Amino acid sequence: MTHHPTALSRRHLLLGGVAASLVGGAARALARTETPSRRVGLAGLDAPVEVFEDQWGVPHVRAASVSDAFFANGYLIARDRLWQLDFDYRRSTGRLAEVFGPDFVPSDTANRLFLFRGDAQAEFAALPPTVQACARAYVAGINAYLEQARATGEKLPPEFTIFSYQPLQWDVLDLVRIRAEATGNTKAEIRRARLAAQGALDYDALIMPLRPAHTLRVPDGLDVHAVTEQDLGLFGVLQASLPLSGLHAPPSASEDDHRRANEGSNAWVIAPTRTATGRPILANDPHLSFGSPGPRHVIHLTAPGLDVIGGGSAGMPGVMQGHTAHFAFGRTNFHIDQEDLFILRTHPAHPERYFHNGRWVEMERMETTIAVRGEAARTVTLRYAAQGPVVSEDAARNRAVAVSATWLYPEANGMLANIGINLAQDWTSFREALKLHTSPTNFTYADTAGNIGWQAAGGLPERSGGYDGLMPAPGDGRYDWKGLQPLDALPNSFNPARGWFGTSNELNLPADYPYEQRCVSYEWKDPYRYNRVAEVLAASPHATLAQSVALQHDTLSHLALSVVKLLPDVPADIRAEADLLRRWDGRVEATSAAAALYEVWWTRLNTLFYQALVPENLRALLPQPLNASVLLAFLQKPDGRVGDKPEAARDALLVKAFQQAVAEARDRMGPVAAAWQWGTLHTLQLRHPLHAVEAVAKAFLPIGGEITHSGGDPYTVMARWYNPDLSQKALAHGQNPYAVTGGASYLMVCDVGAWDHSLFLNFPGQSALPDSGHYEDFLQPWLKGAMQPLVFSASAVQAAARHHAVLYPKGKTP
């Protein structure tokens, strides 16, 4: 791999080198361990901070105050992930066009439109003083790293040199202003309205069945015939992948839909009465799109009143999933419908006026200037209605569209939610901290007293007029939101009688939950992962950490076994392949020939049944694939939609898909079925987001490649997705439709109370710098499922330390 001396020296500035004279206990510790050390003076610290770094590049921070610990958090994330940090900051604040040119003006406009419009200073001042102090310190730590780089003349990560720009200074109030957390379900609102216009609303259930069962209704006054995709306007821009155009091949819309359809997680907690040790176990493996760098950065922050370790996100202070000295906490996506589209009727002669509550009202206007690289700056006008930002306007049709979103409300300061969670001491203070958490999330909990719990959290709108949020609504005032519902309106469980709780993005509202009244969501993931987790946990009265690790890497697919049972007799020339599939144990392992055949067959039969069930005139509205649960139910009990003899028609399509699958498998993997392997198709290669730029490709070599054979699929607990719905253009350029596109890159299993036994993985690595030693060092452990110790106690951290540093207040002798 290519080495970059400037990047290597950047790490050595903080870590490595000759041991120095350190304060008190630090010097004595180093005398015992002979860990190399450095000292770094930084403006903004109140007292010296020690940083011990282990073999995986995980920093273990020891500070004299909570605010200094969060200062180190900001400083170290800037050290390891500066370009990722800056790029996301620029995107969120609408400042990408000044670096990457005019193609980014729509993205910048959309992000500025959805910044918080209230008094950010007052919003920040209303937060608990400790949260304020930690937020300020985190931002000061980022800026201290930038100042250090400027003062020393240190070269920045290669991206800044390649594109000739400098990282931004951070402003703590931007952690209040940045709000956009678009979930994408507004696209479904548009789709349903357009289906209703064709009298075809029932077809929506083929790709998104409503859970719990619910009858779709067109809101009174909505002209479904006027609804188009253009109504999404800037909100669609906000939800889409960035228009990297000349920097990178633009992704297709199906890739965005694919990502949203698959992102999720698994989490479970097991009470001490059901574990071998008598201590609770908490496991979590968030599922996100794979990338380089990865989505999580692991850190350990220790100070009086704070001791937390786990995975965090660049730009968001603190730890998102991990454990404190008192409790472990995990998270998966809960489902709350947090966004609604409102169709405004505008005045024919004054298009910035809209009819609301019986009178014509003027839209609010705000002008903002967007710097554009290589061109003159552009001034754009942002408009707002009573419901929220105006995302599209059509004066010719006297029409505009506004968006209401829970995350735009006052006090919805989700960027700062981790701080309170990390400082909590017990179930009560943990739940109190969740009131600030805006994203729809299942939080799992297990503490050293033996308690386990679950709390659903996130902004929950209170809708009006019986509106269910499943289609756009007229913006005349009848359906405006009344505000947000309290945390207690969302379900929770504490010490459930069965002794465990699991969540994998499935519908988990209790049976007696008033879902019609509270209208949380009707859009949930298929239950296959959860059902497998529940099956294993229910059968494990003496659960162990090793069993939870194995369950996170479990590849048994009950969906696959159910589908294989339906395979009818096939022609003689493919009977051997059919027998291979019928003998299969349903485990989607990388080395399995049957798994390879099944995955290709599943893809082919989904396409054939999509064509059989979806009329051609609706296919532009209903994207593939069919929902897996819906398709399986149809395969098990076909009906007249495929003809007068539905079982015969089903069998014919199953055989046709199987013939196609065998032919494709032979073409891709050779004529000998016994030599096939799912991993031959299910490969993984991570590239830099801007890898199409030659200089970036040279600086950041790909991670993985053809050697990274993987098991799993979207419906196994070890979720590893692929996107067979690639465009013909992509397939023509040799893209593999079965390549892994996402799954769990950060995994942890916590032994609650015996914290040093806890385990984790963080793929591909801690650092975004290729020569850091921690750019891709988790590749092989991740492929093998070889979880690593998540050391926590002072003695374990000391023993694991490979590097040591003291950060001290600049101008003071440490």
Side-chain angles (χ1 to χ4, degrees), residues 145-175:
Y145 182 82
L146 298 177
E147 175 58 33
Q148 173 191 302
R150 283 191 294 268
T152 61
E154 172 192 349
K155 287 191 176 180
L156 296 172
E159 297 97 334
F160 294 102
T161 302
I162 291 168
F163 293 99
S164 302
Y165 73 105
Q166 294 292 311
L168 295 172
Q169 287 284 116
W170 280 54
D171 180 346
V172 69
L173 292 183
D174 282 335
L175 296 181

Side-chain angles (χ1 to χ4, degrees), residues 186 188-190 192-193 217-224 227 231 337 339-345 354-356 387 399-404 463-481:
T186 47
E189 291 184 24
I190 296 287
R192 294 186 187 108
R217 298 182 298 271
V218 176
D220 182 49
L222 176 66
D223 180 2
V224 292
V227 175
D231 286 334
D337 184 350
E339 301 143 11
D340 284 332
L341 299 174
F342 290 90
I343 311 301
L344 309 177
R345 177 163 65 94
Y354 63 101
F355 194 74
H356 187 256
Q387 296 86 358
R399 179 185 185 84
V401 179
V403 170
S404 286
R463 294 182 169 88
S464 301
Y467 175 47
D468 58 17
L470 292 171
M471 285 187 224
D476 55 16
R478 286 178 289 168
Y479 301 106
D480 289 6
W481 291 1

Side-chain angles (χ1 to χ4, degrees), residues 564-691:
V564 169
K565 284 181 183 178
L566 299 169
L567 179 62
D569 290 336
V570 300
D573 63 326
I574 54 173
R575 200 164 292 154
E577 287 82 0
D579 291 341
L580 174 71
L581 207 55
R582 292 190 179 101
R583 293 192 302 268
W584 181 41
D585 62 3
R587 294 191 177 274
V588 188
E589 296 288 345
T591 55
S592 171
L597 178 56
Y598 163 76
E599 297 292 344
V600 178
W601 182 43
W602 170 255
T603 298
R604 292 285 187 164
L605 67 86
N606 197 299
T607 296
L608 289 182
F609 279 91
Y610 173 87
Q611 292 168 352
L613 296 175
V614 178
E616 190 169 356
N617 66 309
L618 298 180
R619 291 175 190 171
L621 287 178
L622 293 167
Q624 285 186 260
L626 298 172
N627 174 266
S629 293
V630 170
L631 177 54
L632 176 60
F634 182 83
L635 293 176
Q636 292 171 330
K637 192 175 181 180
D639 56 39
R641 285 176 288 178
V642 289
D644 295 336
K645 298 180 178 180
E647 290 187 0
R650 173 204 60 190
D651 288 351
L653 287 174
L654 285 169
V655 171
K656 181 178 180 180
F658 192 73
Q659 290 173 313
Q660 293 175 345
V662 171
E664 182 179 349
R666 287 171 178 171
D667 182 60
R668 291 183 180 274
M669 294 178 286
V672 181
W676 297 345
Q677 292 191 4
W678 173 223
T680 302
L681 303 178
H682 205 42
T683 59
L684 172 67
Q685 186 175 79
L686 304 185
R687 295 180 180 271
H688 191 284
L690 306 181
H691 69 85

Side-chain angles (χ1 to χ4, degrees), residues 348-365:
H350 304 282
E352 291 196 357
R353 296 178 187 173
Y354 63 101
F355 194 74
H356 187 256
N357 287 337
R359 63 190 183 93
W360 293 102
V361 180
E362 198 81 20
M363 294 179 188
E364 295 182 57
R365 292 167 49 100

